[in-house]
Amino acid sequence: MARTARIERSTSESTISLAIDLDGTGESTIDTGVPFYDHMLTALSRHSLINLDVKARGDVEVDVHHTVEDTAICFGEALREALGNKAGIRRFGEATVPLDEALARAVVDISGRPYLVHEGEPDGQQYHLIGGHFTGSMTRHCFEAIAYHAGICLHVDLIRGRDPHHIVEAQFKALARALRVAVEPDPRVSGIPSTKGSL
């Protein structure tokens, strides 16, 4: 069965069309109207090997907040839908990724229980305006929306970092690599990887 999903979401603040293929090669077409966010979602796709197509239009003249959050909501919903009943997946994934001086770790549990722990960013990171549009606070907000709407437990720790761009990108790449492992089929698993029998 194809592990794909397409989500369409339209509100007074944004219109999102998003499609994913969990068994892809990391190909993506991303256009959110927020250039730095496009860069992060492209990296997320490339390093997770999840094919990702995103077309988003939002009220960026007000703030990028709505577009970033709503796109992350759609990604989370698509991830949950594409995983189906989660039979045969590895379930857990972990990755530590460097980007020059920055080092980030992400740990994922495809648990069915949404939870986010996000720690380690330096004081003031949330106020940095990256690429002229993307505020540092959007990183956590994006991860929150993905975790909640995908139904995953996600821990992201910035171990070290100085440059605001590197800090965000290392975290997105760590998430990508952790997701790559967690959603991957495990040839030794038949059925759902849980003692409860469901995820």
Side-chain angles (χ1 to χ4, degrees), residues 9 11 13-14 16 18 32 34 37 41 56 58-60 63-77 134 137-149:
R9 187 175 192 272
T11 72
E13 297 170 341
S14 69
I16 316 287
L18 183 147
T32 67
V34 184
Y37 194 36
L41 293 177
D59 55 356
V60 294
D63 190 3
V64 305
H65 184 111
H66 299 143
T67 302
V68 170
E69 179 181 24
D70 293 353
T71 301
I73 287 170
C74 290
F75 179 81
E77 290 177 349
F134 188 96
S137 63
M138 289 293 93
T139 307
R140 178 186 176 88
H141 204 50
C142 179
F143 294 160
E144 283 176 329
I146 291 171
Y148 182 83
H149 290 275

Side-chain angles (χ1 to χ4, degrees), residues 45-57:
S45 171
R46 177 66 55 87
H47 295 288
S48 67
L49 297 183
I50 295 173
N51 288 358
L52 181 61
D53 289 305
V54 180
K55 178 71 173 179
R57 281 297 169 263

Side-chain angles (χ1 to χ4, degrees), residues 25-130:
T25 58
E27 296 297 316
S28 64
T29 304
I30 314 289
D31 180 10
T32 67
V34 184
F36 183 74
Y37 194 36
D38 290 355
H39 180 41
M40 294 302 97
L41 293 177
T42 300
L44 179 61
S45 171
R46 177 66 55 87
H47 295 288
S48 67
L49 297 183
I50 295 173
N51 288 358
L52 181 61
D53 289 305
V54 180
K55 178 71 173 179
R57 281 297 169 263
D59 55 356
V60 294
E61 69 282 359
V62 174
D63 190 3
V64 305
H65 184 111
H66 299 143
T67 302
V68 170
E69 179 181 24
D70 293 353
T71 301
I73 287 170
C74 290
F75 179 81
E77 290 177 349
L79 180 58
R80 185 183 65 226
E81 183 179 322
L83 282 165
N85 69 359
K86 308 180 184 82
I89 64 169
R90 296 192 184 277
R91 177 178 168 177
F92 300 99
E94 180 177 1
T96 303
V97 173
L99 178 56
D100 294 348
E101 87 298 340
L103 184 66
R105 176 177 58 234
V107 185
V108 171
D109 177 9
I110 310 292
S111 61
R113 297 183 309 278
Y115 204 91
L116 174 70
V117 176
H118 180 248
E119 296 182 348
E121 290 187 342
D123 289 343
Q125 170 69 16
Q126 68 269 34
Y127 304 120
H128 277 285
L129 190 61
I130 305 166

